[in-house]
Amino acid sequence: MKKAGMLISVLMGVSMSFFLSLTGTLLSGHFTVPMWLISFGISLVISLMIGFIVPMKPLTDKVCAKFGADEKSIKGKLISAAVADLVYTPVITVIMCLVMTSIAGAQIGNAMKGVDAELGQTTSAHEELLGEYAEKQEAGADEAELASLREQIGTLEGKREELSAQYAAMQAAKPSFAREIWLSLAVCLAVGFVLCYFLTPMFIRIVMKRM
């Protein structure tokens, strides 16, 4: 019986980790396969630890008994799913959200450094051209040469504005744990409840048939 419980915990852990990590990564708005795999790996370790530490079957049986519900009834299944969801999902979601926001924030931060460096170079080149234009204008340079400098200055001004807008957009897109966690937690709790309600009875039947 203990072996059956452990096997059910493993199956639930893998399933919960797969779907919750996929949900959380999609919600972050920065979905990539490597990021999802990292999230899945972390979620799997956490869910397996919870499954081995927390005796889910005795816990759900006690809660069902407290509410006077038969564990095989719809009420009992709803209660069991809610208990399992509250045990697994918040811990997985909080840690997953911390990891995802840290990784995405670091990636955007590195990109911002590159844009900032390019913006600095563009600003310096713009200032040099302005100085050169003023000198040539004062020296009485021909109009063709001055027109060429004005064109270059205009190009650099456009590039500087574009880089400034790009930097501001990256800054706005940088994820914040405090901002992301509540939506992630609400959605993942809903997904986790559905998974627990449908998958737990299915895994119990599969494992018991093989025992």
Side-chain angles (χ1 to χ4, degrees):
M1 196 66 186
K2 188 176 180 181
K3 184 181 177 182
M6 296 289 262
L7 188 54
I8 292 166
S9 294
V10 170
L11 290 171
M12 279 302 298
V14 172
S15 301
M16 292 284 283
S17 299
F18 180 87
F19 288 104
L20 289 180
S21 61
L22 185 60
T23 303
T25 312
L26 286 170
L27 283 172
S28 72
H30 304 281
F31 179 83
T32 61
V33 173
M35 190 176 285
W36 171 66
L37 289 174
I38 292 170
S39 177
F40 175 62
I42 294 170
S43 301
L44 182 59
V45 171
I46 296 166
S47 60
L48 290 178
M49 287 175 64
I50 292 171
F52 290 137
I53 294 170
V54 181
M56 289 304 303
K57 188 71 169 66
L59 178 61
T60 54
D61 288 348
K62 284 180 184 177
V63 177
C64 284
K66 188 174 182 180
F67 283 92
D70 183 350
E71 62 182 59
K72 293 183 180 179
S73 66
I74 292 177
K75 182 181 177 182
K77 288 178 181 178
L78 288 170
I79 291 170
S80 297
V83 170
D85 187 26
L86 290 172
V87 169
Y88 278 97
T89 306
V91 178
I92 293 174
T93 304
V94 168
I95 294 175
M96 188 169 57
C97 193
L98 272 171
V99 172
M100 290 301 98
T101 51
S102 297
I103 293 173
Q107 289 175 342
I108 293 174
N110 288 333
M112 286 173 69
K113 286 179 183 177
V115 172
D116 189 45
E118 190 176 354
L119 181 59
Q121 291 171 1
T122 303
T123 301
S124 297
H126 178 259
E127 289 173 355
E128 286 177 12
L129 276 178
L130 283 175
E132 185 180 347
Y133 180 82
E135 287 175 6
K136 288 189 179 294
Q137 191 177 37
E138 190 177 339
D142 61 81
E143 184 56 33
E145 189 176 1
L146 291 174
S148 175
L149 284 171
R150 281 197 298 269
E151 185 179 347
Q152 293 177 53
I153 289 168
T155 300
L156 287 174
E157 284 175 349
K159 186 177 180 181
R160 190 172 61 175
E161 287 175 7
E162 184 183 333
L163 288 170
S164 296
Q166 191 177 345
Y167 187 88
M170 285 180 172
Q171 202 164 30
K174 204 169 183 181
S176 162
F177 174 78
R179 191 173 62 239
E180 304 284 340
I181 184 59
W182 301 113
L183 176 61
S184 296
L185 192 56
V187 175
C188 287
L189 279 169
V191 172
F193 179 81
V194 173
L195 290 172
C196 290
Y197 183 81
F198 287 104
L199 294 183
T200 303
M202 183 180 75
F203 289 147
I204 289 173
R205 285 196 301 271
I206 291 170
V207 170
M208 289 309 176
K209 280 182 182 179
R210 295 179 178 275
M211 288 294 163

